Each structure stands twice: as C-alpha cells, then as structure tokens.
Amino acid sequence: THKLLNKIFNNILILNFITLILIIVYAFIFSKIMLKPIIILTNKLIKRNENSLKEIKIKNLPIEFLPLGKSINRLINKIIFYIKYKKEFFIGTAHELKTPLAVMKLKNEITLKKDKTIKEYKDVIKLNIISINELDIMISSILEMGRAEGAQFEEAIEIDIIEFLREKVKDFELLANKDNKKIILELIPKQFITMIQLTLLNHILYNFIQNAINFSQKDEKIFIKVKLVEKYILRVDIIDEGCGIDEDIDIFAPFTRKGKNSGLGLGLFLAQSSAQALGVKIGVKNRDDSRGSIAFLKIDSSINSNK
C-alpha cells in the first residue's frame, strides 16, 4: 500500500508539472496571438509623422480590436484636420482682427489733423462703433470655437435623434418664417437611439440649418430629410434652394466666405471640428439640379455606442 501511494503521488507530481508547462506554453502562445494586432497598430503609428499621417487599415484586425482601430483613426483624422488648417486659421485670425483696428486708427488720425464739427466727430465715432462691432463678432466666433473644443470632453448621453431634430427644427422655423421661408421636415425612421455629445451635434446642425436659411431667397423652401442608409447609420440631409457652393474651393477651411450672409467663414470650420470629435461624417455638395446645395450628416450609432 505504501509503495502504491508513493507511485500515485509521483504520478500526480509529474502530471501537475506537465500541466503547468502546457499552461505556460499555451499562455505564451495566446498572449502572442492577442498582442500581435496591438504590435501591428503600434508599428504603424510609430512610422507616422505629421507629413505622412493617414488612416490605418483596420479590415484585417480581430473584431475585438475594431473599436480601438476606429478610435485611433478618428484621432488621426482630427490631427490631420488641425495640422492642415492651424496655420491658415492663425494667419486669418490675425488679418481679420488687424483690419478693423487699422481702419479705426486711420480714421482717428485723419480726424485729429484738424478741427471738425460736432457732426463730423459723431460720424467718426459711429464708424468706429461699427468697426468695434465687427471685432466683437470675430472675438465671439473665436470664443465659440474654444467652447466647442471644451465640449469634446462633455459626457455623451443617450438620445433619440429623431425626436431631437423634431424639437430643434421648431426653433429654426421662427427664424425662417421672417422671410416667408418654409422648413419641411421628412423623418422616415420613427426612432434612432444613440450615445452622442449634444453640444457638438448642436454646432453641426446649427451651422447647416442656419446656412440653408441665410442663402435661401424669400419664399423658398428648406428640406430636412432623415433616413436610414444602413442598419446603424442615419443620414440627415439639409437641402436648400440657394446659390449653391463653389466646389473648387475648400469650404471647410477657416475664413472661407461666399456672399454677404456668410459671416466670418468659421461656421463650417467649426462644424467639421465638431464632426471630427464626434466621429461622424459631414459634407456639403451642390444639388444635381443645380438649384441649391445639400449639407449632410451621417451618424453611425455602432461607433458612438462604443464611446
């Protein structure tokens, strides 16, 4: 009995030792397999710099790593966007702020050269006030961009996009009705639930709908059409009957203007920045019938739900 028990004990020790070795080998192989996609992503990112930034290919990644790959691509796109426009933005901002100041200075210098009547002094002051108002608008727009940057850290909440749009359009109908413009809302899905940062979504919708109203003539219509293009992708089209866009220029670049109603030209730049932060796709193109333009927004609920 004693010999049998010793033999069983030795066999158990040998079996446990073999099992431990197999577990270590399996863990090593499994960790290698799991780390391989991360190593591939790391190597791809190491080779990137500001001159060779582009999205990484994520088609061949395991499904567990797709959210990580998509998040990295969103970050890369945001970096590309800011690298592309930062110099243009700073130069444009300096120019836009300097011009009214130079005009005010010149007017004041001319006024001080010789005595003027009270009316002439009042006229100069009125012109200076106009220049100050222009500066105020510019600074407000720049501050708005700062708020949009801060909104990127806002917590995403679950909302019904369809119901949100229905309520949002009511606010714009009051503005459109001033010039007998009509907003027509077409909502095909009854509901579309997703996680999203409301402030950033508001920036995009506000700029698109505001532009559609501003560039439409009196008694014209603005169509807001919402439909599902795939199971998890909602497309929102804001269609106007205005003058259209110049497709030869980059309309998302800062300080790009068209017409007297275009403001400072920071609206679409701000909308694109918000879209980059949200991970949604936006764009503006001319209508096929050349009777206006279409601004579109694509929301992928499968992406936003992963945040």
Side-chain angles (χ1 to χ4, degrees):
T1 302
H2 182 70
K3 287 181 179 180
L4 181 62
L5 289 173
N6 282 334
K7 189 175 182 180
I8 292 172
F9 178 73
N10 291 333
N11 287 338
I12 291 173
L13 285 177
I14 293 170
L15 184 62
N16 284 341
F17 181 73
I18 294 171
T19 303
L20 179 62
I21 292 174
L22 289 175
I23 290 173
I24 293 172
V25 171
Y26 176 78
F28 179 77
I29 295 172
F30 183 74
S31 63
K32 277 283 198 180
I33 294 172
M34 293 300 294
L35 285 173
K36 186 178 179 181
I38 296 178
I39 293 171
I40 292 172
L41 287 173
T42 303
N43 290 334
K44 288 182 177 180
L45 291 173
I46 288 172
K47 296 175 183 178
R48 298 285 194 272
N49 57 49
E50 66 177 34
N51 297 318
S52 62
L53 277 176
K54 60 181 179 180
E55 289 187 357
I56 59 175
K57 295 179 181 179
I58 61 175
K59 288 184 179 179
N60 297 326
L61 287 177
I63 190 169
E64 295 85 0
F65 290 92
L66 283 178
L68 175 61
K70 290 177 180 178
S71 297
I72 290 173
N73 280 339
R74 286 200 299 272
L75 178 60
I76 289 173
N77 284 329
K78 188 170 179 61
I79 294 171
I80 291 171
F81 179 75
Y82 279 104
I83 289 175
K84 182 179 179 182
Y85 292 124
K86 67 177 182 179
K87 182 178 180 181
E88 192 173 341
F89 173 74
F90 287 126
I91 293 175
T93 301
H95 174 75
E96 294 291 337
L97 292 174
K98 186 177 180 180
T99 301
L101 289 172
V103 172
M104 289 171 60
K105 181 182 177 183
L106 180 61
K107 289 173 183 174
N108 290 339
E109 287 174 347
I110 293 174
T111 303
L112 292 174
K113 283 186 177 180
K114 59 179 181 179
D115 293 337
K116 306 283 185 181
T117 63
I118 294 177
K119 183 181 179 305
E120 288 174 326
Y121 282 121
K122 286 184 177 180
D123 290 339
V124 172
I125 293 172
K126 288 178 182 178
L127 292 173
N128 284 339
I129 290 173
I130 293 173
S131 296
I132 291 170
N133 289 336
E134 291 175 356
L135 286 171
D136 185 57
I137 293 171
M138 293 175 197
I139 293 169
S140 297
S141 298
I142 295 169
L143 288 174
E144 189 66 24
M145 290 191 62
R147 294 189 193 101
E149 287 295 307
Q152 295 180 23
F153 301 99
E154 175 186 292
E155 184 178 354
I157 62 172
E158 185 177 83
I159 65 166
D160 179 4
I161 297 290
I162 304 302
E163 184 61 30
F164 176 76
L165 281 170
R166 189 179 284 115
E167 292 299 320
K168 179 63 62 176
V169 166
K170 291 179 182 178
D171 298 332
F172 286 100
E173 283 177 340
L174 298 174
L175 181 62
N177 289 338
K178 290 181 180 179
D179 295 323
N180 293 326
K181 300 172 187 176
K182 188 175 182 181
I183 297 179
I184 299 175
L185 188 61
E186 298 179 14
L187 303 172
I188 293 180
K190 295 181 179 179
Q191 193 178 58
F192 188 84
I193 306 294
T194 188
M195 297 289 294
I196 203 163
Q197 293 156 296
L198 271 184
T199 303
L200 296 175
L201 178 62
N202 268 320
H203 281 307
I204 298 170
L205 291 174
Y206 177 83
N207 280 291
F208 280 177
I209 300 175
Q210 183 77 36
N211 284 344
I213 294 173
N214 287 343
F215 288 103
S216 296
Q217 301 299 317
K218 191 175 180 180
D219 300 321
E220 289 183 340
K221 299 175 182 177
I222 295 101
F223 298 89
I224 301 178
K225 299 182 178 182
V226 184
K227 62 181 179 181
L228 281 172
V229 291
E230 291 181 29
K231 184 178 179 181
Y232 296 107
I233 299 179
L234 186 78
R235 178 176 173 125
V236 181
D237 287 329
I238 294 96
I239 306 169
D240 63 59
E241 297 177 335
C243 57
I245 63 169
D246 184 352
E247 294 184 343
D248 293 329
I249 64 173
D250 185 358
I251 61 172
F252 290 107
F255 304 105
T256 301
R257 300 180 177 90
K258 181 173 182 180
K260 62 182 181 179
N261 297 325
S262 58
L264 284 178
L266 289 175
L268 289 178
F269 175 74
L270 179 61
Q272 182 69 290
S273 177
S274 299
Q276 294 283 356
L278 282 175
V280 302
K281 184 178 180 181
I282 65 171
V284 182
K285 63 179 183 178
N286 286 321
R287 291 171 50 173
D288 293 335
D289 57 8
S290 301
R291 292 182 55 198
S293 61
I294 302 173
F296 68 85
L297 162 67
K298 285 184 179 179
I299 302 173
D300 188 339
S301 63
S302 64
I303 291 178
N304 293 322
S305 295
N306 289 326
K307 287 190 173 183

